[in-house]
């Protein structure tokens, strides 16, 4: 059973204005046209904006990538598998030989090797690792994307503020983007069947002018009704329609062919590579959070073959993304996180597979306020347990929030009940923050 | 002399091992075997000893996936890309060769013991002079990437009985038959069913050709692996064998598997060609015998481990299987 | 023992506020009068002026949406508005409650209540069961009994068993969902309560409830229940404990057979189960049924308070868009109802009247509190006072069915026999189902996302399935009209059930005139603007 130390007793129905606090007000004034590519790099955008507009790309390695074949190799141990560890550009830090490109870029990246998250079940672990805590029966927490959409998105944003790619079908329903108690306003734009959002394009049977004026007419007709009535749902409907035209204008952000061939070649032809490139386009245009789901790492059989196939792709795409962001001067503003629902067992089964393992696994954070080249957490010689600097889902999230300049102790209100971004008492890992 | 009937197969001995054994080589007409293991080590052992206690010979830098015996020279290869040459008489290392840029999957010796062949994920099949260790041929007939832009792998290699032919098989089901002397490809065969690319559900692959064996007359080539897999998280495809007329590339027979799931990691023909035996596994393993001419399975036997390799004696009266934490001996006849 | 005492104390606090029956209005007083007595008193006490009563057109829209899940046809509105019968509201309510649409709509709401997370859990048999249950006005305690006892050998109640069947693999969830649905108590939350005293109570409480439910299992497609089985758990402090069957009030049940069976008994049991499996029948029932005990204890004496108050609170929420206790699953001592006496009286009333939900529904919607307007020009009073009607976002089915009705030529509904009309309306409901599946189910703190706005703005289905202009459609009829003003009046009336204002007529006819020569397109766009605006999206 989930236990938590702060389950209060809400007495009132929810009041959106109360729990949304002053969000809108703070961010509405940023009026740059974020639909323009690379708006942040353009001279018209002031430095303050550049400084405050942090964004996150989450590379979600669904199914559970192996820490031993990526960021916490144990070469020579009976559990180590066949792959060697290689030196990186950070003295003393070794990673799997399957990641030679990242090995040259570890100075930008922090590895957390001490994740102990207790849960080895795909569905519920995915829910936990997307939220930094377990849902309570009474409270559905918003996930990372929804919190960042809420904290870093703008009320009048012309771009979506939470986009998630998950094209493979395995595990997709276990880890949908979910705004929890923040509600549909912060629900993600989910891209599953195509890299192109549904309903973003005007239908052929209406002209652009008519589409716009039809929308104006709608607003006009609604005015009379809205006067004298207040409800959070009512406001949300109006906000949703107000954002339609802006989001339609961001359509081209999803079109990878808009990118120079040179850049596309750099990322490579795989689906994960293309989606990561689109993610880069999106954050560049001001989308606060993009998750690129890459399934399915669940290597119960043939763990080494699976990782031999999939890790080089991760290595290449992640390294390219780091280079690309760096070239664009965005690495201080965009954070790249790699995360799964759990890692994989050190023990190797008869099918040369590794099974679910949540007791000692790894995640990485790159960019923004994170200390590149740092390693936090240590596992034992065989990788069976964390022996120092253990991290749970909560402290991982607190660290992400803190690095983005968001106070992890900040409260949302569900009714009268204060709900902090992370459970009380949980701290960010100061050692990896700049 | 006719080969013993597979019906006579019975388990004889069984040893438990703390490591996974990936490769075995047996000195002809003796009980001496050499083993390549997951603890990076190569061992020698005596199967007839009262207590089977393999002796450590030397160490690679990664999993040892192939061992081959050419006369008195033992050659082993592993995920470290190296071949280590060992004088079994003198008990000392002859040389180490940086043979491949990627992980070596198998090492075999020619029937006459003059050549050593290694294959690796750099998609090269390298033929070496067993005596000098010199590279004789670097055979390139397999693509480095799968059609889906992921790295391919080269898993299987075999000699024909007369030593004139080599066959290599890769992850996507492509087989090349080579003229050993000329170092030239003679023909190709395709076994695409052995490769499962899951492009929607899980977006990666499983399978590949894991074993090859020429019929004693050299006319047919048996190919082993696993049939199409639904859930590629597991080795749940059926153990699969196909037999080709390799000259035309035509598939003659297929044994899609009806009893066991998993990969067929090793194939061998009876000396008289009357049957074909395959072994492999998933969580557990199997030994399966086929009558190729009659296109039927003769005997399908469960083995208590995932079998990675076996050695069958020349008279086919004994099969020593190695694999996950075990070594098992079966007798025939 | 200490824990038990604390627990009981806590519960008493919850119930004691309201118990003194002598202070409550007589049982014979009609429900609407009691509601208005308490609601009005609180409003007066707060010194607030409530919103006036909603006009007839608004009221029939609200009642039709709430009771049968759709907007009224313009003919229904006109007839209601025109009628001078003093009893017209009562007659309307009775007509709607008696109609088949009532059973369908209420069953949909119950299904969403029982399975809030999801579409399509189970076989749809549960919904069918609920439709029949509402149709025959099955008492709520009987529904409770049938859901919890889950007798699959009786075809009539088999659907009810889906509730338990869908949760077989997760006894914790089953425990919590039973507590939430029937008693308004989220035990898993209470388990980690802040209150230093109540904190200890909760684990016993949770596992006590779980003991009633955890013996359930599946035997070859039939639900069975073991006559034994215990749960051990590790409290936050102290040694491991063995759970005791215990209801929320602390009422514990002694289980005479709580010992584990012998190997011999196990063997016998296994044989019996295999036999049942082979015969494709339900496994033999245990002598001592834990689920049976739960039903018994939950409905007994003062324990039934939870059960009665929960259903009253949920039905209140259904018609007033907020509960007397909020959230609905937080009925406990530290979360007092806004109107404790009213809740107590209604709970007593529903229990005394055989848990008759139609009677309760009728009472709720005939109150003046229900029929207040939803507009309040100045800063609105505390929503807990129910001084102003709340907006209710339509459910997916309400919205899709209403769209279909608004897109249908109103003439199609005129002059039909009641059965024919009912059939047309059911067809509208059916036609909307596919589209409804694309719309989010409103829940606590519901917000409409940009996804819905994009779907309505650029989705093909709205145009193709609703905004067509063939014969028998609203847009088809509009095409036959000459004057843009006439069309404007017609479209507003059809979509909103009320007369258009001058401003609306001007805005719409202006919009149409700007598109001379392609009026059909213009009309489609106008109808789109009408049905996507909040006046359509909400029940108000």
């Amino acid at each position: 059973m989930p236990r938590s130390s702060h389950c209060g007793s809400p007495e009132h129905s929810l009041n959106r204005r109360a729990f949304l606090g002053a969000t809108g007000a703070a961010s509405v004034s940023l009026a740059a046209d974020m639909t323009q590519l690379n708006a942040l790099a353009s001279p018209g955008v002031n430095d303050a904006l550049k400084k405050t507009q942090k964004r996150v790309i989450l590379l979600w390695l669904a199914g559970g990538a192996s820490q031993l074949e990526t960021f916490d190799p144990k070469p020579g141990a009976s559990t180590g598998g066949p792959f060697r560890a290689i030196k990186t550009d950070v003295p003393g830090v070794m990673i799997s030989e399957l990641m030679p490109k990242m090995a040259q870029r570890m100075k930008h990246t922090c590895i957390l090797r001490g994740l102990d998250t207790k849960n080895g079940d795909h569905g519920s672990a995915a829910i936990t690792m997307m939220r930094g805590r377990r849902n309570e029966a009474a409270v559905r927490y918003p996930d990372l994307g929804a919190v960042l959409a809420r904290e870093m998105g703008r009320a009048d944003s012309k771009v979506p503020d939470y986009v998630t790619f998950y094209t493979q079908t395995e595990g997709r329903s276990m880890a949908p983007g979910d705004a929890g108690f923040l509600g549909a306003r912060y629900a993600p734009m989910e891209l599953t069947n195509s890299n192109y959002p549904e309903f973003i394009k005007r239908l052929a049977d209406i002209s652009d002018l008519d589409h716009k004026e039809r929308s104006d007419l709608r607003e006009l007709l609604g005015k009379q009704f809205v006067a004298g009535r207040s409800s959070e749902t009512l406001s949300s409907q109006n906000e949703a329609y107000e954002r339609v035209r802006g989001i339609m204008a961001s359509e081209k952000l999803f079109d990878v062919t808009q990118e120079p061939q040179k850049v596309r070649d750099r990322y490579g032809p795989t689906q994960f590579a293309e989606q990561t490139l689109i993610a880069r386009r999106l954050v560049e245009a001001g989308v606060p959070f993009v998750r690129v789901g890459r399934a399915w790492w669940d290597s119960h059989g043939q763990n080494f073959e699976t990782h031999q196939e999939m890790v080089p792709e991760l290595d290449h795409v992640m390294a390219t993304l780091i280079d690309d962001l760096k070239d664009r001067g965005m690495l201080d503003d965009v954070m790249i996180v790699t995360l799964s629902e759990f890692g994989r067992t050190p023990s190797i089964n008869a099918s040369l597979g590794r099974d679910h393992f949540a007791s000692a696994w790894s995640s990485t954070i790159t960019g923004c306020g994170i200390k590149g080249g740092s390693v936090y957490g240590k596992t034992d010689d065989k990788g069976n347990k964390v022996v120092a600097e253990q991290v749970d889902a909560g402290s991982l999230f607190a660290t992400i929030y803190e690095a983005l300049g968001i106070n992890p102790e900040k409260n949302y209100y569900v009714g009268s009940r204060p709900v902090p971004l992370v459970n009380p008492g949980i701290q960010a890992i100061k050692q990896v923050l700049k | 002399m006719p080969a013993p009937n597979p019906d006579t197969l019975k388990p004889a001995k069984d040893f438990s091992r703390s490591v996974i054994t990936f490769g075995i080589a047996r000195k002809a007409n003796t009980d001496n075997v050499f083993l390549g293991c997951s603890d990076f080590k190569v061992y020698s052992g005596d199967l007839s000893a009262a207590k089977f206690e393999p002796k450590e010979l030397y160490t690679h830098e990664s999993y040892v996936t192939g061992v081959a015996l050419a006369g008195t020279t033992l050659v082993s290869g592993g995920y470290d890309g190296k071949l280590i040459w060992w004088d079994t008489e003198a008990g000392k290392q002859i040389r180490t060769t940086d043979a491949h840029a990627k992980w070596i999957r198998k090492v075999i010796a020619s029937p006459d013991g003059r050549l050593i062949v290694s294959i690796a994920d750099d998609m090269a099949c390298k033929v070496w002079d067993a005596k000098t260790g010199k590279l004789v041929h670097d055979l390139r007939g397999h693509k480095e990437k799968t059609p889906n832009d992921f790295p391919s792998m080269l898993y299987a290699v075999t000699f024909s009985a007369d030593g004139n032919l080599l066959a290599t098989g890769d992850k996507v089901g492509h087989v090349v038959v080579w003229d050993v002397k000329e170092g030239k490809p003679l023909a190709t065969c395709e076994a695409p069913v052995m490769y499962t690319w899951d492009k929607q559900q899980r977006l990666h692959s499983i399978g590949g050709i894991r074993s090859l064996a020429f019929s004693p007359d050299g006319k047919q080539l048996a190919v082993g692996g696993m049939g199409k897999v639904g859930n590629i998280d597991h080795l749940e495809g059926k153990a699969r064998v196909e037999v080709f007329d390799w000259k035309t590339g035509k598939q003659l027979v297929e044994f899609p598997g009806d009893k066991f799931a998993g990969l067929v990691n090793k194939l061998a023909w009876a000396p008289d060609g009357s049957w074909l035996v395959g072994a492999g596994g998933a969580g557990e393993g199997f030994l399966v015998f086929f009558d190729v001419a009659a296109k039927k399975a003769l005997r399908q036997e469960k083995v208590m481990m995932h079998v990675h390799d076996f050695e069958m004696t020349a008279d086919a009266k004994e099969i020593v299987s190695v694999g996950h934490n075990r070594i098992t001996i079966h007798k025939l006849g | 023992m200490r824990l038990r005492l604390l627990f009981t104390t806590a519960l008493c606090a919850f119930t004691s506020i309201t118990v003194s029956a002598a202070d409550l209005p007589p049982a014979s007083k009609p429900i609407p009068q009691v509601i208005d007595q308490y609601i009005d008193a609180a409003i007066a006490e707060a010194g607030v002026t409530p919103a006036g009563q909603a006009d007839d057109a608004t009221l029939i829209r609200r009642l039709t949406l709430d009771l049968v899940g759709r907007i009224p046809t313009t003919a229904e509105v006109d007839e209601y508005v025109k009628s001078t019968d003093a009893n017209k509201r009562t007659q309307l309510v009775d007509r709607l409650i008696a109609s088949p649409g009532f059973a369908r709509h209420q069953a949909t709401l119950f299904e969403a209540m029982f399975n809030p997370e999801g579409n399509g859990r189970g076989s749809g048999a549960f919904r069918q069961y609920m439709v029949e249950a509402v149709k025959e006005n099955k008492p709520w305690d009987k529904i409770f009994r049938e859901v919890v006892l889950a007798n699959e050998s009786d075809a009539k109640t088999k659907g009810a068993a889906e509730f338990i069947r869908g949760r077989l693999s997760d006894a914790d969830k089953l425990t919590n969902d039973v507590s939430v649905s029937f008693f308004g108590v989220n035990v898993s939350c209470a388990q980690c309560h802040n209150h230093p005293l109540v904190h200890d109570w909760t684990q016993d409480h949770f596992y006590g409830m779980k003991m009633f439910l955890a013996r359930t299992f599946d035997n070859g497609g039939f639900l069975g229940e073991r006559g034994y089985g215990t749960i051990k758990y590790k409290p936050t402090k102290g040694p491991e404990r063995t759970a005791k069957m215990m209801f929320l009030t602390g009422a514990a049940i002694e289980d005479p057979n709580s010992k584990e069976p012998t190997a011999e008994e196990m063997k016998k049991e296994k044989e019996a189960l295999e036999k049942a499996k082979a015969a494709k029948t339900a496994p033999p029932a245990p002598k001592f049924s834990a689920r049976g005990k739960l039903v018994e204890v939950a409905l007994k004496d003062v324990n039934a308070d939870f059960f009665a108050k929960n259903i009253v609170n949920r039905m209140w929420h259904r018609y007033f868009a907020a509960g007397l206790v909020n959230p609905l699953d937080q009925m406990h001592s530290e979360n007092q109802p806004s109107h404790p006496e009213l809740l107590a009286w209604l709970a007593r009333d529903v229990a005394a009247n055989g848990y008759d939900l139609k009677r309760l529904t009728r009472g709720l919607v005939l109150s003046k509190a229900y029929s207040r307007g939803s507009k309040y020009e100045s800063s609105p009073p505390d929503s807990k006072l129910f001084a102003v009607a709340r907006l209710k976002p339509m459910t997916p089915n309400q919205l899709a069915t209403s769209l279909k009705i608004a897109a249908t030529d109103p003439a199609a509904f005129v002059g039909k026999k009641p059965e024919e009309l009912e059939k047309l309306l059911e067809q509208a409901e059916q036609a909307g189902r596919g589209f409804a599946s694309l719309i989010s189910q409103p829940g606590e703190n519901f917000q409409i996302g940009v996804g819905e706005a994009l779907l309505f703005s650029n989705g093909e289905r709205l145009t193709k399935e609703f905004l067509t202009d063939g014969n028998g459609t609203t847009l088809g009829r509009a095409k036959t009209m000459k004057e843009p003003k006439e069309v404007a009046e017609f479209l507003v009336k059809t979509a909103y059930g009320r007369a258009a204002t001058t401003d609306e007529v001007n805005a719409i006819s202006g919009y149409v005139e700007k598109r001379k020569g392609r009026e059909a397109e213009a009309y489609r766009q106008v109808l789109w603007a009408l049905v996507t605006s909040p006046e359509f999206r909400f029940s108000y």
Side-chain angles (χ1 to χ4, degrees), chain C residues 4-84:
Chain C
R4 265 290 286 289
L5 282 173
L6 289 174
F7 164 67
T8 318
T9 316
L11 256 296
C12 285
F14 177 56
T15 44
S16 64
I17 289 185
T18 56
V19 229
S20 157
D23 296 344
L24 295 177
S28 58
K29 202 167 170 182
I31 297 174
Q33 282 184 31
V34 178
I35 291 174
D36 289 325
Q37 175 189 330
Y38 281 112
I39 296 292
D40 290 350
I43 291 172
E45 196 183 326
V48 158
T49 312
Q53 290 286 301
D55 63 30
D56 280 348
T58 302
L59 187 58
I60 185 176
R61 187 176 188 273
R62 186 184 298 170
L63 280 167
T64 311
L65 277 165
D66 275 346
L67 296 173
V68 298
R70 59 171 176 87
I71 57 169
T73 67
T74 50
E76 285 174 315
V77 177
D78 288 345
E79 192 193 325
Y80 186 73
V81 172
K82 246 184 270 158
S83 167
T84 52

Side-chain angles (χ1 to χ4, degrees), chain C residues 398-429:
Chain C
Q398 280 176 329
L399 180 54
T401 310
S402 300
L403 276 171
K404 202 73 206 174
I405 290 169
T408 304
D409 182 354
F413 299 114
V414 178
K416 292 277 186 293
K417 286 189 203 139
E419 319 83 74
E420 288 171 353
L421 181 63
E422 185 54 40
K423 193 154 194 182
L424 279 178
L425 294 168
E426 189 177 352
Q427 280 165 1
E429 195 180 315

Side-chain angles (χ1 to χ4, degrees), chain B residues 286-306:
Chain B
F286 53 79
L287 269 172
V288 287
F289 293 81
F290 305 104
D291 180 335
V292 175
K295 303 187 177 183
K296 63 173 190 191
L298 295 171
R299 176 99 191 244
Q300 306 193 68
E301 200 62 23
K302 181 169 159 178
V303 182
M304 293 305 288
M305 64 166 163
H306 181 154

